Amino acid sequence: MFIEDDGIKLVAKLDMPAPAEGKHPLVIIIHGFTGYKDEPHLLAVSKALNEIGCATLRVDMYGHGASGGEFRNHTLYKWVTNALTVIDYARSLDFVTDIYLCGHSQGGLTVMLAAAMKHDAIKGMIAMSPAWMIPEAARNGTLLGESFDPEHIPDELPAWGGRTLGGNYVRVAQTIRVEEAIDRFAGPVLIVHGDQDGAVPVEYGIRAAQRYRNSKLVLIQGDGHCYEHHLDQAVKAVRDWMKEKV
Ligand code: FER
């Protein structure tokens, strides 16, 4: 199925808990940069949440997976407005009680920003390896392992896997102040981060957990960006945290 955001089709998958009857909390799950909704770590989180009575809604964001838009044209503003649209879609479903957000990496940054904007509609948030260094790195000219002049941003940057990213991605990212967003969300937050993450340094997970007013931090020892080694531990952290809420 898809959710339409101003003419862009966002492909999404809604998974219900068993039994499906009655009302349930819903967790919106958002992938990272170059990711998609069916990545193994997202499927594992989704399944675990279904098992404890939560519905899940995994969404391909602008320019990613099967959704509309070109990768090179995606920006954090587009992802954030996508997230706001998906939240409104979730609010329109009559089986939904509380809405939670869960995002991985750039999706983690996206849910941090969206939770701040819609804090009255979001019960809680899970940020997995949240890539909230992106705005700072864009201001410093050090994104994607490349250096550039942050005052003279190239029109195109090489991204992972032979992809090309438009310079407007950087221009948008430079304007975002994540600390302000953190301070605008007072609900419960779970941060999960592998301490060997090579894409997003674990210090960012630690600093986010310190700054959120109501947070829990789970560090996964010896694990990387997508929980390649201890996915079971990352999933357990999400399940245990969520189980206390439902
Ligand atoms: C970067 C490092 C990490 C970056 C993006 C990420 C755009 C995001 C990772 C992810 O979402 O998995 O330099 O630049």
Side-chain angles (χ1 to χ4, degrees), residues 177-191:
R177 302 286 166 183
V178 189
E179 284 86 353
E180 270 176 40
I182 292 175
D183 296 344
R184 287 175 65 84
F185 189 71
V189 173
L190 172 67
I191 313 269

Side-chain angles (χ1 to χ4, degrees), residues 14-17 24-28 49-50 53-57 95-96:
L14 177 66
D15 287 304
M16 299 296 289
H24 315 281
L26 177 91
V27 185
I28 294 167
L49 290 170
N50 294 154
C54 298
T56 52
L57 182 62
F95 75 82
V96 172

Side-chain angles (χ1 to χ4, degrees), residues 112 124-127 130 182 185-192 204-218 241 244-245:
M112 288 167 74
M125 185 190 78
I126 302 164
I182 292 175
F185 189 71
V189 173
L190 172 67
I191 313 269
V192 181
Y204 283 88
I206 294 168
R207 273 172 51 200
Q210 283 168 346
R211 188 155 184 136
Y212 274 110
R213 272 168 279 178
N214 182 359
S215 72
K216 179 181 165 75
L217 173 67
V218 178
W241 184 84
E244 287 172 15
K245 309 277 176 292

Side-chain angles (χ1 to χ4, degrees), residues 2-10 62 67-69 82 85:
F2 64 87
I3 299 162
E4 189 139 339
D5 183 9
D6 260 343
I8 295 288
K9 282 183 179 176
L10 302 177
Y62 182 104
S67 286
N82 288 166
T85 298

Side-chain angles (χ1 to χ4, degrees), residues 130-185:
W132 69 283
M133 77 302 169
I134 291 175
E136 206 173 285
R139 288 189 282 272
N140 293 337
T142 56
L143 273 181
L144 293 161
E146 304 271 326
S147 292
F148 54 86
D149 176 356
E151 298 300 328
H152 298 91
I153 299 160
D155 287 338
E156 293 189 337
L157 290 94
W160 304 332
R163 294 178 177 85
T164 300
L165 185 57
N168 288 342
Y169 174 95
V170 181
R171 293 172 192 274
V172 164
Q174 285 183 340
T175 69
I176 294 174
R177 302 286 166 183
V178 189
E179 284 86 353
E180 270 176 40
I182 292 175
D183 296 344
R184 287 175 65 84
F185 189 71

